[in-house]
Amino acid sequence: MADSSHVIGQANIDAAATIFRTMADELFTSAGDEALVNAMCETIPADGGTTTSIILEDFLGNWLEFNGARQTGVSRNYRLNVALTTWAVQLKVRRRDAEYDRSGIVAARVRKFMSAAQSYKDFVLHQGLFLNSGDGPVGFDGVNLLSTTHPNGPSGNQSNKTTSALSPLTFDTAFSAMTSFQRENGEPFRILPRYLVVGPKNRLVGSEITKMDIRGRSVAATGLEATASVVASAGVSNAYNGLVDLVVDPRLVGTQDDYWYLIGEGPGGAKPMFFVEGAAPREQLDIDLSSPTVMQNDALTFGLIADGQYAAGMWPCIYGGIL
């Protein structure tokens, strides 16, 4: 009787490869990006080289009366150079596990691997956010994305950072600041706050701020709301209910478990981060049983590789609590 085990084994390998390729086509599209990536990032294509120059222009002129001649406005130009980084991930499967798989375990492993790999942009985003002790990458104005000294405000520096824990009071401070940021000429940036981002630890306080009709209010002896020297508390109508959407970020844990962000959007879809995309994630398969690598290691490799990098965008579109 002829030995058909090799044919069956190759069919198992081919099935796993088909799942891998199909999921790669389905998952790695802009529509498949995670909610936080879409909320925080403008995606722009690399300009053909390994470094992309992002040019931002801050118009400083105002509407002026046309009094016999047009008065020309001026602009402050910024340039941010972003170098692409290569990112890779892979799954190794023993050749025997694949060839003699009768229950679809290897195919299931490939599915789980691909589902986890879908978080590529989300992973790289947080690599950028957590730079510089949580202040993020250096932006076009020469300071970190989150800073108390953003220059060129109408009256000096402006701040989009606090070291205070999330509470209704700090949320109100962040909301007021974001909607009050001004350009150098005194014109508003016109930022619309859209999301409050918290980690699992702050899920409850985030929900109390964004979703509940009634919230607890602690009052000091002065009669004002306070977080210290509290003498009384009461339930009051929650004026913040529905102002923004809550996003619970599973990466805000450990050292970053108290971090929180208010994320907004500016005119024209301006966002706090850029994602410069070179090559989107693409497959790298080494599953040919005659491959020298497979022969040497007796293992099959399912891999993905991509080129991309995040950069600081419009800092007025983010306000962060970095504790």
Side-chain angles (χ1 to χ4, degrees):
M1 182 175 178
D3 180 9
S4 61
S5 61
H6 173 72
V7 175
I8 296 173
Q10 186 62 50
N12 292 337
I13 296 172
D14 292 343
T18 298
I19 291 170
F20 180 83
R21 294 188 177 102
T22 300
M23 291 190 71
D25 290 339
E26 292 175 352
L27 294 179
F28 297 108
T29 65
S30 58
D33 289 345
E34 297 185 22
L36 187 58
V37 174
N38 289 328
M40 292 195 66
C41 301
E42 292 183 71
T43 298
I44 60 175
D47 62 6
T50 58
T51 300
T52 295
S53 292
I54 302 174
I55 300 175
L56 299 99
E57 219 174 89
D58 189 7
F59 182 66
L60 306 181
N62 281 321
W63 281 94
L64 299 170
E65 180 182 358
F66 191 96
N67 189 14
R70 184 184 299 276
Q71 301 185 53
T72 303
V74 295
S75 298
R76 183 185 294 277
N77 292 321
Y78 299 97
R79 181 186 296 270
L80 189 63
N81 294 320
V82 183
L84 291 176
T85 299
T86 299
W87 308 88
V89 64
Q90 68 180 25
L91 170 69
K92 281 189 175 294
V93 177
R94 289 193 309 173
R95 188 258 322 155
R96 285 181 301 170
D97 291 344
E99 281 202 295
Y100 298 102
D101 182 17
R102 295 293 185 270
S103 57
I105 292 176
V106 171
R109 286 181 62 190
V110 170
R111 286 192 183 94
K112 291 177 181 178
F113 165 72
M114 292 297 288
S115 295
Q118 184 185 10
S119 63
Y120 154 63
K121 287 185 179 180
D122 181 73
F123 170 80
V124 182
L125 166 63
H126 286 80
Q127 298 300 299
L129 277 178
F130 296 160
L131 286 173
N132 300 312
S133 301
D135 289 347
V138 175
F140 60 85
D141 59 356
V143 298
N144 296 330
L145 177 65
L146 297 175
S147 175
T148 59
T149 57
H150 286 288
N152 303 322
S155 302
N157 292 335
Q158 299 182 91
S159 173
N160 67 339
K161 175 189 172 184
T162 182
T163 55
S164 298
L166 178 63
S167 70
L169 287 177
T170 52
F171 172 81
D172 186 74
T173 298
F175 195 98
S176 296
M178 180 173 285
T179 53
S180 300
F181 287 138
Q182 293 177 296
R183 300 179 183 276
E184 191 169 350
N185 61 358
E187 282 291 291
F189 274 103
R190 303 186 187 280
I191 308 301
L192 175 64
R194 299 182 67 92
Y195 304 96
L196 176 63
V197 181
V198 301
K201 179 179 177 180
N202 277 329
R203 176 188 59 81
L204 180 57
V205 66
S207 295
E208 290 174 343
I209 292 170
T210 61
K211 297 181 178 181
M212 294 187 179
D213 294 330
I214 303 296
R215 68 176 179 86
R217 179 175 180 176
S218 300
V219 182
T222 59
L224 299 176
E225 186 168 2
T227 56
S229 302
V230 174
V231 297
S233 60
V236 297
S237 296
N238 182 14
Y240 311 123
N241 182 16
L243 277 180
V244 297
D245 293 327
L246 180 67
V247 176
V248 180
D249 182 356
R251 295 190 188 275
L252 296 183
V253 293
T255 303
Q256 292 85 27
D257 63 356
D258 282 318
Y259 285 14
W260 59 273
Y261 306 97
L262 182 62
I263 306 298
E265 186 173 320
K271 297 180 180 180
M273 299 280 282
F274 290 108
F275 179 69
V276 179
E277 188 162 39
R282 58 197 186 277
E283 62 191 51
Q284 291 183 314
L285 289 171
D286 193 0
I287 59 174
D288 186 340
L289 296 180
S290 298
S291 160
T293 306
V294 175
M295 293 174 63
Q296 178 70 28
N297 300 316
D298 198 27
L300 312 177
T301 302
F302 299 82
L304 294 164
I305 194 165
D307 300 321
Q309 189 54 277
Y310 280 93
M314 288 295 292
W315 66 262
C317 295
I318 185 170
Y319 190 104
I322 307 300
L323 285 66

